[in-house]
Amino acid sequence: MHRSAGATMAWNVFRFCTALRGLGSIMILLVLSIVGVTYYAVVLCNYGPALLAGGASSLAALAVLILFHFLLVMLLWSYFSVVFTDPGSVPPNWNLDFDEERGETVPLSSSDFNTQMNSQQSMANNDTGHPRARYCRKCNQLKPPRCHHCSVCGRCVLKMDHHCVWVVNCVGALNYKYFLLFLFYTFLETTLVTLSLLPHFIAFFSDIDIPGSPAALATTFLTFVLNLAFSLSVLGFMIMHAYEKKTTPRWMYDLGRKRNFIQVFGNDKRYWFIPAYSEEDLRRMPVLQGLDYPMYSV
């Protein structure tokens, strides 16, 4: 008996999703290994000794080390916030009647819930009905606006953006801000490392005698290449993402740059650059819970 092409493709996709789930701790260890190598090259091999040596270069070394450690703390804080924060799942008995004042869903009775599920399943089959009412056949439940099913996680995720292997998690409503901050601090940190190690990288190809052991020189060279690659990759990702937004038709959830920013980062400016929200924003902004979103109107 031969399998159909569709069954074979589904089976291959399932194997791919299972492999992604298996990466888990390996990817976290890989990220920590890159951080460790970078720390060894910048602090222990180069700018730490320059600081202890004294002289005019010690002030520059101190500035680099302070900025390096600050960005590293923010990068790791953002990274582990993405890793360990649930991106958001559909609450039991969720329905479209959302209480914007309380930021909570109003539960349905059993009969009402079954009736609405059958109604929304019919809408999904016919591609008609309310544009925000959708039904997931895999999870057998209603889907809030901007909610999508993740084949890797095996569940529906609120405001799902994508499943990121680097953070071993989905990027969704409850950790999207943390993911953007992770990218932001990764770009700043890798750029700082690239610029601070650039003189050492140039000296590597010159006739100047460079102090340090062969292992330290090799680590410095590797760290420069890795951080340059990550810096350019993140920069390219941000440019591509901005260009894509500019060239696509206006989406119904696009409220403009300022309001879009607030929808992700909150109203409280004190929390914009840290992976957390104020209690006031969490209480007064239902959009941060990932269940209801204002739409653009002409």
Side-chain angles (χ1 to χ4, degrees):
M1 182 182 296
H2 297 284
R3 295 183 181 180
S4 66
T8 303
M9 182 177 296
W11 183 75
N12 289 337
V13 170
F14 175 76
R15 284 188 60 189
F16 177 69
C17 295
T18 304
L20 286 180
R21 283 196 292 267
L23 284 175
S25 57
I26 297 177
M27 295 305 298
I28 295 177
L29 289 176
L30 177 59
V31 171
L32 293 179
S33 298
I34 295 173
V35 171
V37 170
T38 300
Y39 192 91
Y40 176 78
V42 174
V43 178
L44 300 180
C45 293
N46 293 285
Y47 285 91
L51 177 64
L52 297 176
S57 61
S58 62
L59 290 178
L62 178 62
V64 170
L65 289 174
I66 291 175
L67 187 56
F68 173 84
H69 282 91
F70 170 75
L71 293 176
L72 181 61
V73 168
M74 299 306 298
L75 186 157
L76 291 177
W77 185 10
S78 301
Y79 176 73
F80 284 111
S81 294
V82 185
V83 171
F84 293 115
T85 300
D86 190 301
S89 56
V90 183
N93 287 8
W94 176 85
N95 64 93
L96 290 175
D97 297 326
F98 189 83
D99 187 343
E100 294 187 1
E101 291 293 327
R102 295 164 51 197
E104 298 174 354
T105 55
V106 180
L108 289 172
S109 65
S110 177
S111 59
D112 290 340
F113 178 67
N114 291 333
T115 300
Q116 189 168 8
M117 280 214 315
N118 293 334
S119 173
Q120 300 309 321
Q121 189 172 18
S122 175
M123 290 179 186
N125 292 332
N126 298 327
D127 293 328
T128 59
H130 196 289
R132 298 168 61 188
R134 296 174 301 136
Y135 186 84
C136 179
R137 297 182 181 88
K138 295 181 180 179
C139 295
N140 195 31
Q141 65 181 9
L142 299 173
K143 291 198 297 185
R146 306 178 72 175
C147 177
H148 300 284
H149 185 88
C150 176
S151 300
V152 181
C153 297
R155 64 187 176 102
C156 285
V157 176
L158 299 179
K159 193 188 172 185
M160 179 184 171
D161 188 80
H162 69 289
H163 188 96
C164 180
V165 295
W166 287 100
V167 301
V168 201
N169 198 2
C170 263
V171 177
L174 304 186
N175 64 357
Y176 185 60
K177 172 187 175 181
Y178 310 156
F179 177 74
L180 294 180
L181 289 177
F182 167 60
L183 292 181
F184 175 68
Y185 288 118
T186 297
F187 174 72
L188 293 181
E189 178 79 329
T190 54
T191 301
L192 172 67
V193 172
T194 300
L195 294 177
S196 62
L197 294 183
L198 181 59
H200 302 82
F201 181 79
I202 295 175
F204 189 85
F205 293 98
S206 65
D207 296 330
I208 303 173
D209 291 333
I210 307 174
S213 64
L217 296 178
T219 304
T220 299
F221 183 90
L222 176 63
T223 301
F224 175 85
V225 173
L226 282 176
N227 281 268
L228 176 62
F230 279 113
S231 178
L232 293 177
S233 298
V234 174
L235 179 62
F237 174 81
M238 292 188 295
I239 293 175
M240 180 185 68
H241 192 64
Y243 179 77
E244 181 183 22
K245 292 289 184 182
K246 183 179 288 188
T247 55
T248 54
R250 184 162 190 175
W251 194 28
M252 62 179 175
Y253 295 112
D254 184 4
L255 305 178
R257 292 182 181 179
K258 182 177 180 180
R259 293 184 64 188
N260 288 344
F261 181 88
I262 292 176
Q263 298 257 327
V264 176
F265 289 86
N267 280 306
D268 196 331
K269 298 178 181 180
R270 297 173 300 174
Y271 288 80
W272 279 359
F273 295 101
I274 63 174
Y277 290 103
S278 67
E279 292 293 333
E280 183 75 6
D281 280 349
L282 290 175
R283 183 170 58 86
R284 299 186 61 181
M285 297 181 64
V287 66
L288 298 180
Q289 307 301 327
L291 292 171
D292 190 62
Y293 297 92
M295 292 185 291
Y296 165 75
S297 57
V298 181

